[in-house]
């Protein structure tokens, strides 16, 4: 999923470092949230969002706001970060020319799992360069603003990557490989990734990049198309090496199956 809209004029201005969503960006989030709430799986017994087991999000403000706006719960009139189930985001006040104000957002309490887990991951952040809008804040600031998001996977308090390089497309593709390896090692099967246009494009370019991957021209064209704001593209990823662990549906059968069943008791 790509982030909602930010003001493109903000990208190179220090005043707008780690830019917020615009009002239109929040509206785009609400539109996707409405779609996910109404869309059903093939047997019409559950909403699509109830299938999600995890939300992985880039640790930049606009991505965190998008994740919360699209996949979070309802708005809250009163929210405490110390509650038993903390809100995903605390309320913010409007700052002229910087951000619109927004109510606190509660966790998504689905029919299958409650609450839906949110995890921030540095690997899926935007292009690493020198644009101020792509420099993240200290993680302690994010933890205070987004108490329902898990930032434990980010080991550095400060942004030690921004300004150290001008990341090439090849470097971003290599980072997308490391991100996919990280995703495949996770136990969850249905994961939403909230990221940025450049990283999303670099990651999806790896699908159908060679003839050996067996991708049709139509699918390749669609996968390589530049994503719109708040566009969500479903992708099924299979790891033939087994690096993601044993598929829960697998059962060996035979004598080994009897041993498995006995050990599971």
């Amino acid at each position: 999923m790509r982030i909602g809209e930010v003001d493109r004029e903000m990208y190179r201005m220090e005043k707008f470092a780690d830019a917020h969503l615009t009002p239109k960006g929040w509206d785009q989030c609400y539109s996707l949230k409405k779609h996910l709430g109404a869309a059903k799986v093939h047997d019409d017994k559950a909403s699509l969002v109830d299938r999600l087991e995890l939300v992985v999000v880039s640790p930049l403000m606009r991505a965190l706001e998008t994740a919360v706006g699209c996949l979070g719960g309802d708005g809250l009139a009163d929210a405490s970060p110390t509650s038993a189930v903390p809100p995903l985001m605390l309320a913010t006040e409007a700052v002229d020319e910087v951000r619109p104000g927004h109510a606190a957002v509660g966790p998504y309490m689905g029919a299958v799992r409650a609450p839906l887990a949110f995890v921030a991951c540095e690997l899926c952040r935007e292009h690493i360069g020198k644009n101020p809008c792509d420099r993240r804040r200290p993680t302690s600031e994010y933890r205070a603003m987004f108490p329902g998001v898990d930032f434990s996977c980010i080991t550095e308090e400060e942004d030690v990557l921004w300004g150290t390089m001008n990341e090439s497309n090849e470097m971003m593709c290599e980072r997308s490989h490391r991100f996919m390896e990280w995703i495949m090692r996770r136990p969850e099967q249905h994961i939403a990734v909230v990221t940025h246009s450049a990283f999303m494009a670099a990651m999806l370019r790896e699908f159908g990049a060679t003839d050996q991957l067996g991708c049709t021209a139509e699918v390749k064209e669609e996968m390589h198309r530049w994503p719109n704001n708040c566009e969500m593209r479903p992708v099924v990823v299979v790891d033939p090496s087994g690096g993601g662990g044993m598929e829960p549906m697998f059962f060996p059968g035979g004598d080994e199956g009897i041993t498995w069943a006995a050990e599971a008791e």
Side-chain angles (χ1 to χ4, degrees):
M1 180 194 304
R2 183 189 172 186
I3 61 161
E5 182 194 75
V6 295
D7 191 337
R8 296 290 297 184
E9 295 181 1
M10 296 178 177
Y11 271 46
R12 292 177 174 82
M13 300 174 65
E14 184 62 32
K15 177 182 178 180
F16 303 112
D18 194 18
H20 291 263
L21 294 180
T22 63
K24 182 178 179 180
W26 280 106
D27 285 343
Q28 292 167 340
C29 292
Y30 304 148
S31 295
L32 177 53
K33 180 180 177 67
K34 182 178 180 180
H35 163 75
L36 289 172
K40 303 291 185 180
V41 297
H42 66 89
D43 60 5
D44 203 36
K45 291 184 178 179
S47 69
L48 288 180
V49 71
D50 279 334
R51 295 184 66 187
L52 291 178
E53 301 166 67
L54 179 70
V55 178
V56 176
V57 56
S58 158
L60 289 171
M61 181 62 67
R62 56 195 186 274
L64 289 160
E65 290 177 339
T66 299
V68 166
C70 295
L71 299 166
D74 297 329
L76 300 174
D78 184 26
S80 170
T82 60
S83 59
V85 181
L88 285 173
M89 186 182 84
L90 297 182
T92 57
E93 295 184 357
V95 178
D96 191 36
E97 296 185 352
V98 174
R99 72 183 185 200
H102 200 279
V105 179
Y108 179 76
M109 309 299 280
V112 179
R113 56 191 58 82
L116 176 61
F118 284 62
V119 173
C121 178
E122 194 98 78
L123 286 171
C124 64
R125 65 183 289 171
E126 181 58 300
H127 170 265
I128 300 171
K130 297 184 179 181
N131 285 334
C133 75
D134 296 331
R135 183 178 69 241
R136 72 165 172 83
R137 302 164 196 243
T139 53
S140 57
E141 290 190 28
Y142 289 133
R143 286 189 174 98
M145 298 175 71
F146 299 93
V149 178
D150 181 359
F151 290 92
S152 62
C153 291
I154 301 177
T155 57
E156 299 288 346
E157 165 72 3
E158 302 292 335
D159 191 345
V160 298
L161 296 174
W162 184 87
T164 61
M165 67 182 84
N166 186 20
E167 198 173 29
S168 66
N169 286 335
E170 290 74 19
M171 294 169 70
M172 288 192 71
C173 287
E174 188 276 332
R175 176 157 62 92
S176 74
H177 272 273
R178 287 188 283 125
F179 175 67
M180 289 305 300
E181 289 171 354
W182 181 84
I183 286 287
M184 295 301 288
R185 288 195 296 270
R186 296 207 52 103
E188 299 88 358
Q189 297 290 305
H190 297 96
I191 301 174
V193 176
V194 183
T195 184
H196 309 262
S197 57
F199 182 79
M200 184 172 174
M203 183 168 59
L204 294 179
R205 275 198 300 270
E206 297 303 290
F207 291 89
T210 65
D211 293 338
Q212 286 75 23
L213 293 178
C215 189
T216 67
E218 292 79 9
V219 171
K220 182 176 179 179
E221 180 180 358
E222 177 63 17
M223 294 297 289
H224 292 192
R225 176 178 55 80
W226 197 261
N228 294 315
N229 290 118
C230 271
E231 180 175 347
M232 189 172 191
R233 294 186 193 173
V235 178
V236 177
V237 181
V238 178
D239 182 4
S241 71
M246 191 68 71
E247 161 60 42
M249 289 290 289
F250 175 76
F251 185 75
D255 293 341
E256 187 178 356
I258 295 174
T259 302
W260 268 38
E263 291 176 348
E265 292 179 355

